[in-house]
Amino acid sequence: MGIFKTNPFGHILFFKKWLIRIAGALTHRRYRGFNELQIEGSDILKNLPDQGVLFVSNHQTYFADVVSMFHVFNASLSGREDSIKNIGYLWQPKLNLYYVAAGETMKSGLLPRILAYAGAITVSRTWREKGKEIERQVNFQDTENIGVALDDGWVITFPQGTTKPWKPIRKGTAHIIKQYKPIVVPIVIDGFRRSFDKKGLRIKKRNILQTFEVKEPLVIDYENDSVDKIVEQLEYAIEQHPSFLKVIPVEELEKEEELNKKRQWEY
């Protein structure tokens, strides 16, 4: 690899590789040390093609979620099964790995701007900006950029577009699936909201069990399935369909609601 070789977005891969190595080394103990990340299903990752894969996940923090995915994906591709033990997997990381993030979030400070270089595809939210509800037309350049990233490699997206649980899936994700026809792999995470602050940068509590489940790719009829059907499929796949609320103890819901009240000032 030439030192100045770039990806389709103009990022120099040599710099991106070292950024992932350094960031990975600095964050490893957050998932295997201060807390313990329990992984399930990572063997699925080894059987996926190198391009055209869309990962859909529930969302709990701005950055800790996606950082954990960089760890799990690279560990699995280097031969580790359901483990991120020994960070040697970071030496040759997967460089065609991207994640969808709000442009507003990635411009909120120096560290987010640095992390953006690791693979952020920034998009403009059409429904919310700076904590206020808005109505904005879809920026088709954002959609095209996601398509470019899928052509080049793997893309991670959080289709609810928020870290608040049980929010509806944004239909834009379903439109992208119908348009670009990627392999869609669901991921369900838990414990990150309890472990970290909202941004996922500060450790809020230690000795928390974090879970990370990779599920089998979804079966989707790209031509005939409606957008609404795909949205519902995604809701079930990442366990954010309203029906899941029925099996959550009332005590847990009350705790979550109380926590959300404390966070209101941050939105």
Side-chain angles (χ1 to χ4, degrees):
M1 180 179 70
I3 192 169
F4 293 115
K5 184 177 180 180
T6 62
N7 64 17
F9 300 100
H11 297 151
I12 299 173
L13 295 181
F14 176 80
F15 293 156
K16 180 174 179 176
K17 176 185 286 188
W18 273 102
L19 175 59
I20 293 173
R21 287 173 177 172
I22 294 170
L26 292 174
T27 58
H28 186 254
R29 290 192 66 199
R30 291 167 170 253
Y31 309 101
R32 188 178 172 83
F34 300 136
N35 299 294
E36 189 65 30
L37 183 63
Q38 180 178 296
I39 307 164
E40 181 180 347
S42 68
D43 56 305
I44 292 169
L45 302 169
K46 294 182 288 186
N47 298 318
L48 297 172
D50 194 45
Q51 297 93 17
V53 181
L54 181 68
F55 295 90
V56 293
S57 175
N58 61 315
H59 203 16
Q60 297 198 337
T61 72
Y62 288 172
F63 298 112
D65 305 7
V66 75
V67 170
S68 73
M69 293 176 192
F70 271 72
H71 278 288
V72 173
F73 291 1
N74 283 297
S76 176
L77 293 175
S78 70
R80 291 161 177 77
E81 184 172 334
D82 293 344
S83 172
I84 58 170
K85 183 179 179 180
N86 185 346
I87 60 172
Y89 57 79
L90 291 171
W91 189 247
Q92 293 297 336
K94 183 176 177 63
L95 296 178
N96 57 341
L97 178 58
Y98 304 92
Y99 61 98
V100 179
E104 176 186 346
T105 300
M106 303 314 295
K107 296 176 182 177
S108 61
L110 178 60
L111 184 57
R113 289 174 185 271
I114 294 173
L115 292 175
Y117 205 90
I121 308 166
T122 56
V123 298
S124 300
R125 286 176 175 162
T126 58
W127 69 96
R128 191 174 182 83
E129 183 177 66
K130 297 180 180 179
K132 297 180 180 179
E133 302 298 323
I134 62 169
E135 289 187 15
R136 177 190 287 144
Q137 292 295 316
V138 173
N139 185 338
F140 291 104
Q141 183 64 50
D142 293 345
T143 304
E144 290 175 8
N145 285 339
I146 294 172
V148 169
L150 285 168
D151 284 341
D152 186 58
W154 292 0
V155 176
I156 301 163
T157 189
F158 303 96
Q160 290 169 289
T162 177
T163 58
K164 290 183 178 180
W166 314 113
K167 291 298 182 181
I169 298 288
R170 298 288 166 180
K171 291 187 177 182
T173 303
H175 284 290
I176 288 168
I177 291 170
K178 285 183 68 69
Q179 181 175 354
Y180 295 106
K181 302 175 176 58
I183 295 172
V184 181
V185 179
I187 293 175
V188 177
I189 60 172
D190 194 24
F192 294 81
R193 186 176 287 110
R194 295 187 294 275
S195 307
F196 306 106
D197 67 347
K198 180 180 171 63
K199 289 186 177 181
L201 298 175
R202 181 177 60 83
I203 296 172
K204 186 169 66 176
K205 193 172 183 179
R206 303 186 182 212
N207 300 317
I208 296 295
L209 175 63
Q210 303 160 337
T211 59
F212 188 114
E213 180 185 3
V214 184
K215 297 186 175 183
E216 292 286 349
L218 299 180
V219 177
I220 298 173
D221 185 336
Y222 301 101
E223 301 299 332
N224 298 314
D225 284 353
S226 67
V227 165
D228 288 338
K229 181 177 181 180
I230 294 174
V231 164
E232 184 178 44
Q233 194 173 2
L234 294 176
E235 287 178 332
Y236 278 110
I238 65 172
E239 300 181 8
Q240 292 294 297
H241 189 272
S243 63
F244 282 89
L245 285 167
K246 298 177 182 179
V247 298
I248 298 177
V250 174
E251 294 80 5
E252 286 297 317
L253 290 176
E254 290 176 348
K255 287 180 182 178
E256 187 60 42
E257 185 59 32
E258 192 62 32
L259 196 56
N260 283 336
K261 289 179 181 178
K262 294 179 180 178
R263 290 181 178 139
Q264 281 180 351
W265 65 273
E266 296 184 69
Y267 291 94

